Amino acid sequence: QSGVEIFKNALKNRWGKPNSLKLISQRSNLLPLDESPFANEYFTPTYVNDFFNLPIERKKQIVDEQEMTSDGITPSYLLDLYRDLYQIKIVERDQREVQILPRRELFDMSQIGSSFTLALKNEFLQETELLQADIVILATGFKTKIPECLSSILDFVPLNEESLFNLDDQFRVNWEYKKTNTIYALNFGRQQIGISEPQTSLMAWRSARIINSMMSEEIYKIESQTNFSQFSSNDQSSIRVPINRFLQSI
């Protein structure tokens, strides 16, 4: 989203009028944020509770599948960008080179004088492309980082393979002194708690869950929730068998 916003502002000459402008993306296209009703059910307490009990490898696979529910571009912004491009290139017949280059990976960049040479892997053609640029803006997203104030106790905190906290379903950090000194952490559990964990959509629910945990009683009623999509089975008539055992029996 932020990369496209930078491109759109440059296109509208917010920082001067560029002679040419290129937007490079690893994705297959400028993909929209999935805001559909049933995708929104990933951002509910019921789904979070169901998701938490899955094996970690299964969690990672599911979070990757759901990427566009949190990391896509808002459809209205894509429409505005398309209209701007149409106005500038088709109606006004602006002769500047303006390109959107999907399925490209930047793997090398070198500077000669005041300009840059960018080496791109074109995944569509399976070829390498070279581009020249005077200004390069990298929209690389964000990285979760453990606060410096906790550095003195990190020897007592086992970290996961992403070098982040291991959390339980109450957002408590699993560490050596957890029983007597509880640490709660938010925005650290995308792979453990689900795609909604870094988002604001469940902020009130997360806060209420932490308060209930701190007080050891239900200060806030948070577990009543109805989803139309049912991912776990609570039907007493069904029998749950691991899929590998089921296939073996066949």
Side-chain angles (χ1 to χ4, degrees):
Q1 177 79 26
S2 57
V4 173
E5 289 174 0
I6 292 169
F7 178 77
K8 185 173 183 290
N9 279 302
L11 180 68
K12 300 297 289 290
N13 306 323
R14 296 291 172 86
W15 307 298
K17 188 173 183 178
N19 292 325
S20 65
L21 185 62
K22 296 178 174 65
L23 172 61
I24 301 165
S25 175
Q26 287 183 296
R27 289 180 174 171
S28 60
N29 211 329
L30 299 187
L31 301 176
L33 181 71
D34 186 354
E35 299 177 301
S36 57
F38 290 97
N40 285 338
E41 296 212 338
Y42 300 146
F43 300 82
T44 62
T46 297
Y47 181 81
V48 172
N49 291 336
D50 289 345
F51 179 89
F52 185 81
N53 292 318
L54 293 174
I56 186 63
E57 291 304 321
R58 183 72 184 116
K59 289 181 179 182
K60 291 178 180 178
Q61 180 185 352
I62 291 174
V63 167
D64 288 343
E65 291 171 356
Q66 297 171 346
E67 182 181 25
M68 302 317 299
T69 64
S70 66
D71 296 344
I73 305 163
T74 54
S76 60
Y77 203 87
L78 282 177
L79 182 59
D80 287 344
L81 174 60
Y82 194 90
R83 287 170 172 167
D84 288 342
L85 286 166
Y86 190 92
Q87 177 68 27
I88 291 169
K89 299 299 293 183
I90 306 301
V91 178
E92 299 175 6
R93 298 188 179 278
D94 192 316
Q95 297 302 306
R96 291 179 298 163
E97 185 180 43
V98 178
Q99 294 180 317
I100 296 173
L101 305 175
R103 290 191 183 274
R104 268 82 165 183
E105 178 184 359
L106 174 64
F107 66 88
D108 190 39
M109 184 170 67
S110 58
Q111 183 174 7
I112 302 177
S114 60
S115 65
F116 300 91
T117 299
L118 283 68
L120 308 175
K121 182 179 180 181
N122 185 322
E123 294 287 353
F124 187 77
L125 298 175
Q126 292 294 295
E127 296 177 352
T128 297
E129 299 172 342
L130 298 178
L131 296 179
Q132 301 294 319
D134 296 319
I135 298 174
V136 179
I137 301 174
L138 302 176
T140 56
F142 64 89
K143 182 177 180 180
T144 304
K145 184 179 180 181
I146 294 176
E148 291 292 335
C149 63
L150 297 179
S151 58
S152 62
I153 66 168
L154 287 184
D155 288 342
F156 306 100
V157 184
L159 302 179
N160 59 29
E161 60 185 36
E162 298 176 305
S163 297
L164 297 175
F165 302 130
N166 292 296
L167 303 178
D168 67 12
D169 61 351
Q170 307 295 315
F171 301 94
R172 295 175 297 194
V173 176
N174 289 316
W175 74 300
E176 190 168 334
Y177 299 100
K178 174 182 176 180
K179 291 183 178 180
T180 55
N181 298 275
T182 305
I183 301 173
Y184 293 90
L186 295 175
N187 300 338
F188 281 89
R190 183 184 175 105
Q191 296 289 352
Q192 301 174 67
I193 295 174
I195 194 73
S196 65
E197 211 281 322
Q199 311 296 325
T200 59
S201 53
L202 284 179
M203 183 180 295
W205 174 81
R206 286 180 295 184
S207 299
R209 191 158 196 168
I210 289 173
I211 291 172
N212 288 352
S213 174
M214 292 173 62
M215 302 302 293
S216 299
E217 63 176 295
E218 190 178 55
I219 304 297
Y220 295 100
K221 186 175 178 59
I222 58 175
E223 299 305 334
S224 59
Q225 176 74 28
T226 300
N227 282 24
F228 295 109
S229 300
Q230 185 173 316
F231 291 90
S232 66
S233 176
N234 56 9
D235 186 349
Q236 299 301 314
S237 64
S238 64
I239 301 175
R240 300 175 62 183
V241 180
I243 190 168
N244 59 334
R245 290 179 53 193
F246 177 76
L247 293 175
Q248 288 172 7
S249 68
I250 294 176

